[in-house]
Amino acid sequence: MKTKKKLHWTPVTIAQAVVTGLTLLFLLAPVVQMVLTAFMKNAFRGPKAGWTTDWISKVLELYGDTIIRSLGIAFGTLVITILIGVPCAWVLVREERRRWAGLLEEALILPLSIPGLAIGLGILLIWGGWGEFRQSNLFILCGHVMFCLPFMVRSVVAVLRVEPIAAYEEASATLGASPFTTFMRVVVPVAMPGIIAGGLMVTTVSLGEFNISWMLQTPDTRTLPVGMADAYASMRLEVGSAYTFLFLVILVPLLTLMQSLPERIRRRMAEKRSK
């Protein structure tokens, strides 16, 4: 039976606790204030003015389409990055000793080092003249896929590189499985922790991505972050805060999953292997 170790408070640990507490206060105080403002009848009068949910209703009325659109784009980005990123990661791991594999990996992560505005400008210069495509949500989806794909590739590569994937594939081929069957029933399950981690990261990044979305948007294709900026710029402070509150309601559960789910999957896989 394990016993919990008691924490011995020394001047060093006390100082560490104080610094940690002050840091958390510094980070969380604006968020708490924003949440409170979202439910205040009048932000300038403060709690004395009373509380209301009217601002939440107003955001859903004025910007509900941006929330639905962002969720759809995030889901589309997730599906496409999985379909492209997992095979790419598998190839990179299998061929990592070849020079072209290193160049390909660098090319795939290049969008992370380029400002979103520059990526958006490049997409505009190449495909901006395609009228119907330019006016559709697919235009923004392309930008999100380009920006988010490296997160999926790197997450899956990190998992596959610590597994004896070549031995698994060889065993599968010895049993008569086709390359496609081996990929779907061996590689994908082994890579699942990376797919889950990468998928959650892709979803959260896509939902919160502003620069590319702002560069590529039209009045009919605004996304959640762009709508949030518009709410703060042209509406009451309470409306912008309510919009941000709804954004957190969507984003915080995803961030929680991103922290806990991959580790749970690794534990379950380790337990299955040990049986």
Side-chain angles (χ1 to χ4, degrees):
M1 185 175 179
K2 294 182 179 180
T3 57
K4 294 183 178 179
K5 294 182 179 180
K6 293 184 179 180
L7 178 63
H8 297 284
W9 291 99
T10 64
V12 174
T13 57
I14 292 174
Q16 291 174 337
V18 171
V19 171
T20 302
L22 292 175
T23 302
L24 288 175
L25 181 63
F26 176 78
L27 294 174
L28 294 178
V31 178
V32 173
Q33 181 61 53
M34 178 275 303
V35 172
L36 294 176
T37 303
F39 293 95
M40 291 180 185
K41 287 185 176 181
N42 189 304
F44 297 100
R45 293 178 58 192
K48 295 180 181 179
W51 306 92
T52 182
T53 58
D54 290 346
W55 306 120
I56 302 292
S57 301
K58 193 172 185 65
V59 168
L60 294 175
E61 177 185 348
L62 296 176
Y63 299 101
D65 62 322
T66 67
I67 297 174
I68 295 173
R69 184 176 298 111
S70 281
L71 290 173
I73 290 175
F75 178 75
T77 303
L78 172 63
V79 172
I80 295 174
T81 53
I82 289 176
L83 293 176
I84 299 175
V86 176
C88 282
W90 176 55
V91 170
L92 290 175
V93 172
R94 288 191 64 185
E95 308 294 337
E96 62 181 345
R97 294 183 180 180
R98 297 181 181 272
R99 185 174 182 180
W100 63 264
L103 295 175
L104 178 59
E105 185 172 0
E106 292 179 6
L108 285 171
I109 65 174
L110 184 62
L112 294 180
S113 61
I114 301 175
L117 290 175
I119 294 175
L121 178 60
I123 294 174
L124 277 174
L125 292 175
I126 296 175
W127 296 307
W130 298 12
E132 293 184 3
F133 180 53
R134 171 69 179 91
Q135 301 298 322
S136 69
N137 294 324
L138 294 176
F139 197 60
I140 296 178
L141 178 62
C142 288
H144 282 223
V145 169
M146 185 180 297
F147 188 73
C148 294
L149 183 60
F151 294 103
M152 178 61 69
V153 173
R154 294 304 296 271
S155 296
V156 177
V157 164
V159 172
L160 293 181
R161 278 180 175 162
V162 299
E163 296 285 349
I165 195 67
Y168 296 157
E169 290 182 289
E170 184 177 349
S172 178
T174 302
L175 295 173
S178 66
F180 180 77
T181 301
T182 298
F183 178 78
M184 295 301 298
R185 303 191 65 175
V186 176
V187 177
V188 171
V190 170
M192 191 56 65
I195 296 173
I196 297 295
L200 290 170
M201 191 173 298
V202 164
T203 304
T204 54
V205 170
S206 177
L207 283 172
E209 209 297 313
F210 174 80
N211 292 324
I212 294 176
S213 301
W214 180 81
M215 196 71 177
L216 303 181
Q217 58 126 1
T218 68
D220 296 325
T221 59
R222 286 184 305 180
T223 59
L224 196 156
V226 177
M228 188 187 304
D230 178 74
Y232 276 111
S234 60
M235 295 287 175
R236 292 177 58 124
L237 181 62
E238 297 88 346
V239 175
S241 297
Y243 203 139
T244 309
F245 171 75
L246 291 174
F247 178 71
L248 290 177
V249 168
I250 297 171
L251 193 62
V252 169
L254 291 174
L255 292 174
T256 303
L257 280 173
M258 188 166 62
Q259 293 291 332
S260 61
L261 194 55
E263 184 60 30
R264 292 181 183 179
I265 293 176
R266 290 192 189 94
R267 289 178 182 175
R268 289 181 181 179
M269 291 181 66
E271 289 174 0
K272 289 181 180 180
R273 292 174 185 172
S274 62
K275 291 182 180 179

